[in-house]
Amino acid sequence: MPSCPAFLKDPTGTFVTRNIVSIHLNGLDDPRQALTTFCRALMGRDALGGYFEPIAPDRLPDAYRRLLAHDQHMTLRLREHFGQDVVLRVLASQVDGDLYQRRIVLSLAESERIVEVGLVRIDLGYTSGAVRAAIQEKRTPLGDVLIQANVLRRIEPKWYYRFDTGCPLLADFGAARPPKAYGRLGVIYCDEQPAIELLEIVYDERVTDE
């Protein structure tokens, strides 16, 4: 398996890297182990701090079930839900050969409020040169890149989670750090190859648990 660097923060808040071994989600079947392994590979051992629980999709609050329990790109569902465009910001990224990974946030174009934080791992070997360049340009959300390139793709959410406010990842929401958020971990197949693994955590401050 290829080695790749993980994103960590040093005491000054700067992202640094270390080498780890990539483990594919398709080789795992336990949702807790899968999330822990995925996040540890990208952020280190304490990425989650234990502040999460797997949850069945039918136990998600209604608004979050509509946001997460589907086989569409999250950018499309977020635009539909919030009624405005979303903007990508890459907090950290690293490429090692064909293995590219990044830590991102998506914010609303009008209010600049962060509505999604996430981790993404991409095998660029399954992408064309144009798609690779667009991804590494860091300007366009991943879903939009794949749609615009008309890539044959299949989105497979594998597990869903509830995250409590103590989860270190929720700090990426900034000043509006949520008391609770929900997310999904899954795979995007490009031409039926498992090219992309991603964690997507969403929050809408207007919604309370239902």
Side-chain angles (χ1 to χ4, degrees):
M1 290 179 292
S3 67
C4 60
F7 300 127
L8 302 168
K9 280 187 177 180
D10 68 15
T12 69
T14 303
F15 282 99
V16 298
T17 65
R18 64 175 176 83
N19 285 333
I20 57 91
V21 175
S22 174
I23 299 175
H24 292 295
L25 293 180
N26 280 347
L28 303 172
D29 55 16
D30 177 80
R32 183 177 293 275
Q33 179 191 13
L35 183 62
T36 301
T37 300
F38 181 75
C39 292
R40 181 186 298 145
L42 291 167
M43 294 179 60
R45 183 174 299 275
D46 298 323
L48 298 172
Y51 295 96
F52 74 96
E53 288 292 337
I55 186 171
D58 61 0
R59 298 297 302 274
L60 290 164
D62 287 346
Y64 288 104
R65 185 164 59 252
R66 290 191 293 271
L67 274 169
L68 293 166
H70 56 82
D71 59 0
Q72 297 179 343
H73 289 291
M74 282 301 303
T75 45
L76 299 179
R77 193 55 63 98
L78 288 169
R79 289 188 183 105
E80 177 184 302
H81 179 82
F82 289 101
Q84 56 182 288
D85 202 4
V86 292
V87 177
L88 169 70
R89 179 158 58 97
V90 177
L91 303 180
S93 67
Q94 185 70 41
V95 62
D96 182 8
D98 283 336
L99 188 61
Y100 174 75
Q101 50 191 357
R102 66 190 186 188
R103 181 173 177 177
I104 66 99
V105 298
L106 295 178
S107 58
L108 299 178
E110 297 174 16
S111 67
E112 299 184 351
R113 177 161 54 92
I114 296 172
V115 293
E116 179 186 312
V117 303
L119 302 173
V120 187
R121 185 162 58 208
I122 306 171
D123 187 338
L124 295 172
Y126 292 122
T127 66
S128 68
V131 169
R132 177 192 291 250
I135 290 171
Q136 293 184 279
E137 190 180 30
K138 306 177 186 178
R139 298 182 59 184
T140 305
L142 178 61
D144 291 350
V145 170
L146 299 178
I147 291 169
Q148 292 166 13
N150 198 29
V151 174
L152 179 62
R153 61 203 178 277
R154 175 168 59 88
I155 301 167
E156 181 184 330
K158 297 180 74 69
W159 301 285
Y160 301 88
Y161 304 88
R162 184 187 70 245
F163 298 87
D164 295 326
T165 191
C167 179
L169 263 175
L170 298 196
D172 288 349
F173 281 101
R177 183 170 182 156
K180 189 178 295 183
Y182 295 87
R184 69 180 189 178
L185 182 62
V187 179
I188 298 179
Y189 294 83
C190 296
D191 295 320
E192 287 305 313
Q193 299 300 318
I196 301 164
E197 300 173 333
L198 66 172
L199 170 65
E200 300 162 300
I201 304 174
V202 296
Y203 176 61
D204 184 351
E205 64 183 8
R206 306 168 302 178
V207 175
T208 58
D209 282 3
E210 301 168 19

